[in-house]
Amino acid sequence: MKILVTGGLGFIGSHTVVELQNEGFEVVIIDNLSNSSEEVLKGIVAITGKTPVFEKLDLREKTSVQDFFKRHTDVASIIHFAASKAVGESVEKPLLYYENNINTLIYLLQELEQKPEAHFIFSSSCTVYGQAETMPINENAPIKPAMSPYGNTKQIGEEIITDVAKVSNINAILLRYFNPIGSHPSAEIGELPIGVPQNLVPFITQTAIGLRKELSVYGGDYPTNDGTCIRDYIHVVDLAKAHVVALQRLLNCQNVDKIETFNLGTGTGSSVLEVINAFEKVSEQKLAYKIVDRREGDITSAFANTDKASNILGWKTQSTLEEAIASAWKWEQKVRNV
Ligand code: UD1
């Protein structure tokens, strides 16, 4: 079975390609290398012993997308990761985000709707819930107005897929990720942010390795146990496996609705200080950090109710926070040749 993975050389995409290949799927990757590198292919091959087909292609070029599907007539299942994901950048460059995240989605769906049967898995985000009223967050929590163009592209993306699936042969699963961290335990692939990391865990590991002076903890006065924000940090390998399970559900026609939505998290919230403590424990070193003002747009707390994913997909996370952080640290050390 041939599966198209867009953004398959990126952080979550590459880990999902590994899990797909381990399960015997034939993978075709499209990636424009805007936030990834062809080197990632070597890591995928080192882990799985199999080389996926790779095409450097920019999904914003509609004719290139059409041409791809003319050459790969047997592709009717897509896991769609390719998108821009920096919240701050999306505020500065909204049109870039609407073009990257929405136009590309439309071009893919235009191809899929021509198939007699098609499957689509979409990378969505818990950001669609904003600051939810109740914790943990289940899939029926209200969708809040997006706080950034990035968040808006996830909401609009979900709506577009839902509208199209209703009137076509496309069956879709929307996966709302909480906070993916970590790397493959082999350290052959991992997260490699370009420039200064915006996300917590890569900033921690880059600080510990000496690339950054100290971590700024954004806000110490939130209404939480220790005053810092709470998130649900999920190991990227667990997250990748959820994509395989979701795909199999669609391929085996086990889905109850044409569009289904699942939260993907661990179900446990951790504060920023708890993440720092976990890092200090696994790395056996102190981390330089200071508490500074809150970051604009941050919510106080978000962690997942995992009942639906567990009961319907039969999927649960396996890794602990410490294991996830240890894998991120191992990767950082490998990348910097330490
Ligand atoms: C954000 C987005 C999410 C997106 C994800 C990946 C929102 C609400 N969430 O998640 O949609 O999918 O990025 O790009 O826009 N922190 C620090 N110091 C740092 C960095 C982060 O203290 O240097 C804190 C933050 O305040 C937050 C936590 O660490 O409490 C996690 O931050 P981050 O990794 O950026 O993820 P989110 O903001 O949760």
Side-chain angles (χ1 to χ4, degrees):
M1 180 63 73
K2 204 193 246 186
I3 312 297
L4 170 60
V5 180
T6 72
L9 296 183
F11 174 41
I12 308 171
S14 59
H15 288 82
T16 301
V17 170
V18 164
E19 298 305 323
L20 286 169
Q21 294 198 150
N22 283 345
E23 288 296 315
F25 288 100
E26 199 184 321
V27 176
V28 184
I29 295 174
I30 287 179
D31 202 301
N32 70 356
L33 303 179
S34 62
N35 194 21
S36 61
S37 142
E38 223 170 319
E39 290 288 298
V40 176
L41 274 176
K42 290 184 191 156
I44 293 171
V45 176
I47 298 167
T48 64
K50 286 182 233 166
T51 311
V53 174
F54 165 61
E55 292 204 17
K56 182 170 184 285
L57 193 152
D58 196 321
L59 291 170
R60 290 173 298 186
E61 292 162 13
K62 186 172 179 175
T63 51
S64 303
V65 178
Q66 291 170 329
D67 175 63
F68 173 90
F69 280 90
K70 281 196 191 107
R71 287 183 288 107
H72 296 271
T73 49
D74 51 350
V75 168
S77 301
I78 304 179
I79 304 182
H80 180 44
F81 293 103
S84 298
K85 61 164 191 171
V87 176
E89 184 188 47
S90 80
V91 176
E92 307 283 317
K93 301 175 185 166
L95 284 177
L96 178 74
Y97 273 67
Y98 290 115
E99 187 185 28
N100 277 355
N101 297 4
I102 301 297
N103 288 12
T104 58
L105 173 66
I106 292 170
Y107 301 155
L108 289 171
L109 293 174
Q110 282 173 335
E111 295 300 320
L112 272 199
E113 74 167 359
Q114 298 171 35
K115 306 279 175 187
E117 193 191 337
H119 313 105
F120 195 79
I121 297 193
F122 182 60
S123 292
S124 190
S125 168
C126 68
T127 197
V128 300
Y129 300 117
Q131 179 58 73
E133 311 276 312
T134 45
M135 291 298 142
I137 304 171
N138 72 32
E139 289 80 355
N140 296 323
I143 304 294
K144 296 274 176 65
M147 283 160 74
S148 69
Y150 160 76
N152 211 18
T153 65
K154 293 299 171 190
Q155 293 191 6
I156 296 169
E158 288 195 0
E159 287 168 4
I160 291 172
I161 295 163
T162 304
D163 288 343
V164 176
K166 274 184 202 155
V167 294
S168 70
N169 296 321
I170 301 173
N171 285 269
I173 292 185
L174 313 174
L175 297 176
R176 293 179 180 156
Y177 313 152
F178 282 68
N179 288 59
I181 61 165
S183 76
H184 194 270
S186 64
E188 293 289 350
I189 54 173
E191 184 172 17
L192 205 51
I194 293 174
V196 181
Q198 305 300 309
N199 295 114
L200 179 62
V201 171
F203 204 104
I204 288 177
T205 55
Q206 288 199 9
T207 304
I209 210 88
L211 278 179
R212 315 275 157 214
K213 196 167 135 274
E214 66 182 359
L215 168 75
S216 296
V217 174
Y218 297 131
D221 59 351
Y222 282 97
T224 61
N225 277 349
D226 62 21
T228 63
C229 293
I230 291 182
R231 296 288 184 275
D232 185 340
Y233 297 92
I234 171 172
H235 195 305
V236 66
V237 173
D238 281 330
L239 185 62
K241 286 181 176 162
H243 290 76
V244 179
V245 174
L247 178 70
Q248 282 163 335
R249 180 174 172 82
L250 291 182
L251 292 172
N252 297 333
C253 305
Q254 290 165 317
N255 51 313
V256 178
D257 293 315
K258 292 208 75 191
I259 309 109
E260 294 182 326
T261 305
F262 296 97
N263 285 344
L264 298 180
T266 66
T268 303
S270 305
S271 72
V272 177
L273 293 182
E274 283 169 342
V275 173
I276 293 171
N277 285 340
F279 176 79
E280 291 184 334
K281 190 170 163 204
V282 301
S283 67
E284 298 178 333
Q285 67 180 73
K286 285 280 166 203
L287 185 79
Y289 73 89
K290 70 163 185 272
I291 296 179
V292 301
D293 288 346
R294 293 181 177 195
R295 179 172 71 176
E296 203 186 329
D298 271 343
I299 53 170
T300 304
S301 180
F303 55 99
N305 179 319
T306 58
D307 290 350
K308 190 176 176 195
S310 164
N311 295 338
I312 296 180
L313 289 179
W315 169 90
K316 265 195 174 89
T317 56
Q318 306 287 327
S319 299
T320 63
L321 177 67
E322 285 180 12
E323 285 165 343
I325 291 177
S327 70
W329 180 226
K330 183 175 173 188
W331 164 251
E332 186 74 59
Q333 289 172 294
K334 181 182 171 200
V335 170
R336 312 298 166 196
N337 298 317
V338 174

